């Protein structure tokens, strides 16, 4: 027996939404859904942290199960795979409460294999699961400009689009787990962009160039990238305030990618990604775990006796 | 005594232009200047290769010196530093023929220190030198969409703009040698983008994803870059035809950047750039020196027993 497809399109007046995870990312995302007129029920381990959402009209549930019982769609965006496992498929988790036809959407950056496990568990309950991790940092979450990479049943992802559009732009990338795999790909490319830019600016600095002019020169050529636009000036101005923490990127690299030290995920040799991971680990080693990703330039500088 | 600044603005009717270097890049660039109405004198070691430019109205000179004697501006875009040294400051080179106030513009990807040496030599002849390497491959050269990174006297670079605008978009990046240094930065970032994309696609392929969808997902997020737009589909479709040869990128990494094996240039440790260089050397080792830069994905694949 297959889970039934939803028969009613998403709308603020009829779709009941659950939200679990009100951190740096989840809080502004939930807030945007409330502002768009949706009824939202929130579960928070520490309810005092949900006060601002309550003041926007959010209801409070006492457990993921309690929340899911009254919701058509439940979003999660929480720490990492162990939290996701417990909150979604644990004894009092989302799937223990969701009605047949309900949808659980995990927006945490988590592992592809866990996403597939959740999808199977959801199917067993005649429910649906979508993995939809995001990229774009807290600013993207506040402004509704997140990149959402969604894996799961294509009709369900399409049905969810009105909600995703409140948060950003969704790209459907394939079946269960594919959203998470695409997010790993995004981190591989993004970190390469960050390290490449850090090295180019460090080189240019040592060569005595005006870094603002160099950045303009790079932006004019085929090496231009969005990371350069987002972080180039910040690197030059030594503004290392975090959009996302460096330590999170290191965590992301431990998910679904089997470098020597991990025992889960695809076995694939990626020397560039492995080096990038080491350089971001350098930030943690330097006590800079809570700086933004652009702070990786300081690791390249330290290598060269700068600062 | 300082070189005199030009008193007449650039114009097709009055500015006499010399062109040396009619390879993959130089030939379409010279052709665009002819099409824009400029009188062009060409020097080519093998005059038969200049026939198509002669049919567009180009004159032929017998040596760089002979060419420079009748020109206000001489452009060079030739193999590498040794060629540039010989053609610009050699016994019968450009500077031996150029009149005071003349400008020699090297668009070869060459070394910053040679650019400074040429600038000094030009000053000694009361002439000007600009280093203005380009990025954008042969398509950019044909379409007049090159990124030009210019170093030298800012007034001279500004004076040259009407000519640069026929070829692409010029960014002034600083004094003599700065154009070359910026180009090295461009190669550092661009190669990181290429390797990052290669690794993300190799990972996603192993994870069983549809690579077209992954590319769409990546393009929607903050990891998006121009390299992805230029080369992403080609990597997926196994179209490794060259815009620029892989071996040229390896050569560029040997200029001005002191990795262990080079004895010239800035001493600066750039682990990412060093790794990228090694991976592009892998292409040469695999017999793929004349493939395009996007072929670096095959090196990542070979590492993983793919293809």
């Amino acid at each position: 027996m297959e889970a039934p497809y939803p028969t009613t399109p998403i709308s603020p007046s009829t779709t009941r939404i659950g939200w679990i995870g009100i951190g740096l990312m989840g809080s502004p995302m939930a807030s945007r859904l409330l502002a768009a007129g949706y009824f939202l029920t929130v579960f928070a381990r520490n309810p005092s942290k949900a006060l601002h959402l309550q003041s926007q009209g959010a209801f409070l549930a006492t457990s993921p199960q309690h929340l899911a019982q009254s919701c058509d769609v439940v979003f999660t965006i929480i720490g990492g795979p162990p939290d996701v496992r417990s909150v979604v498929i644990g004894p009092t988790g989302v799937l223990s409460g969701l009605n047949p036809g309900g949808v659980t959407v995990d927006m945490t950056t988590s592992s592809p294999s866990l996403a597939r496990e959740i999808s199977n568990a959801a199917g067993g309950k005649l429910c649906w699961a979508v993995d939809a991790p995001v990229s774009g940092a807290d600013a993207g979450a506040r402004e509704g400009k997140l990149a959402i990479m969604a894996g799961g049943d294509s009709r369900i992802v399409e049905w969810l689009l009105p909600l995703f559009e409140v948060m950003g732009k969704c790209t459907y990338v394939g079946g269960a787990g594919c959203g998470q795999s695409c997010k790993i790909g995004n981190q591989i490319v993004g970190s390469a962009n960050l390290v490449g830019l850090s090295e180019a600016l460090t080189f240019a600095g040592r060569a005595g160039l005006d870094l603002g002019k160099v950045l303009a020169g790079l932006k004019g050529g085929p090496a231009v990238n969005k990371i350069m636009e987002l972080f180039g000036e910040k690197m030059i101005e030594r503004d290392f305030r975090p959009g996302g923490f460096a330590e999170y990127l290191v965590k992301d690299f431990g998910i679904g990618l089997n470098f020597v030290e991990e025992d889960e995920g695809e076995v694939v040799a990626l020397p560039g990604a492995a080096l990038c991971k080491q350089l971001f680990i350098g930030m943690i080693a330097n006590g800079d775990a809570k700086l933004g990703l652009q702070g990786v330039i300081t690791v390249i500088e330290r290598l060269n006796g700068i600062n």
Side-chain angles (χ1 to χ4, degrees), chain A residues 167-182:
Chain A
M167 307 179 222
K169 187 167 172 290
C170 174
T171 306
Y172 177 70
V173 290
C178 288
Q180 295 297 351
S181 289
C182 191

Side-chain angles (χ1 to χ4, degrees), chain A residues 187-203 225 227-228 231 235 249 253 271-281 283 293-301 303:
Chain A
Q187 304 304 70
I188 292 169
V189 178
S191 63
N193 294 353
L194 280 156
V195 169
L197 180 59
S198 297
E199 293 196 352
L201 291 179
T202 302
F203 165 77
N225 58 52
I227 291 289
M228 193 180 282
F231 295 115
M235 281 185 183
L249 185 59
F253 270 123
L275 174 60
C276 289
K277 181 179 182 182
Q278 289 299 314
L279 294 171
F280 283 98
I281 288 174
M283 286 185 70
L293 307 179
Q294 70 275 28
V296 75
I297 193 173
T298 63
V299 177
I300 304 297
E301 289 171 338
L303 262 174

Side-chain angles (χ1 to χ4, degrees), chain A residues 59-77:
Chain A
F59 306 114
L60 220 57
T62 58
S63 73
Q65 184 180 54
H66 177 221
L67 171 138
Q69 284 163 348
S70 73
C71 287
D72 305 301
V73 187
V74 178
F75 290 95
T76 46
I77 181 161

Side-chain angles (χ1 to χ4, degrees), chain A residues 104-107 112 115-116 129-133 149-152 174-181:
Chain A
T104 182
V105 183
D106 185 29
M107 304 190 84
R116 288 190 290 269
V130 167
D131 51 298
M149 290 153 263
C178 288
Q180 295 297 351
S181 289

Side-chain angles (χ1 to χ4, degrees), chain A residues 83-291:
Chain A
D83 310 279
V84 172
R85 177 183 294 281
S86 150
V87 165
V88 180
I89 53 179
T92 60
V94 172
L95 281 179
S96 72
L98 210 55
N99 294 309
V103 183
T104 182
V105 183
D106 185 29
M107 304 190 84
T108 314
T109 294
S110 177
S111 88
S113 64
L114 178 57
R116 288 190 290 269
E117 190 182 336
I118 289 173
S119 178
N120 288 334
K125 301 258 182 184
L126 304 184
C127 292
W128 299 98
V130 167
D131 51 298
V134 300
S135 188
D138 57 342
R142 281 194 305 275
E143 296 160 16
K145 291 185 179 167
L146 293 170
I148 302 165
M149 290 153 263
D153 183 277
S154 64
R155 280 175 61 185
I156 294 297
V157 171
E158 198 170 334
W159 180 74
L160 289 166
L161 284 183
L163 296 174
F164 286 145
E165 279 161 8
V166 174
M167 307 179 222
K169 187 167 172 290
C170 174
T171 306
Y172 177 70
V173 290
C178 288
Q180 295 297 351
S181 289
C182 191
K183 175 70 193 282
I184 292 169
N186 180 76
Q187 304 304 70
I188 292 169
V189 178
S191 63
N193 294 353
L194 280 156
V195 169
L197 180 59
S198 297
E199 293 196 352
L201 291 179
T202 302
F203 165 77
R206 177 128 302 177
L209 274 73
D210 176 319
L211 296 187
K213 291 200 175 98
V214 171
L215 196 58
L218 295 177
K219 284 183 181 174
V224 65
N225 58 52
K226 202 161 183 176
I227 291 289
M228 193 180 282
E229 283 158 11
L230 291 170
F231 295 115
E233 296 293 345
K234 286 179 200 257
M235 281 185 183
I236 294 173
E237 291 162 9
R238 325 304 293 170
D239 174 0
F240 299 135
R241 284 174 296 174
F245 297 141
E247 64 181 359
Y248 286 179
L249 185 59
V250 172
K251 183 208 78 168
D252 292 353
F253 270 123
I255 293 172
L257 244 186
N258 193 338
F259 294 130
V260 179
E261 70 265 40
E262 279 88 36
D263 58 6
E264 199 251 348
E266 306 298 332
V267 180
V268 50
L270 304 177
L275 174 60
C276 289
K277 181 179 182 182
Q278 289 299 314
L279 294 171
F280 283 98
I281 288 174
M283 286 185 70
I284 300 178
N286 289 334
D288 293 336
K290 302 280 187 202
L291 293 191

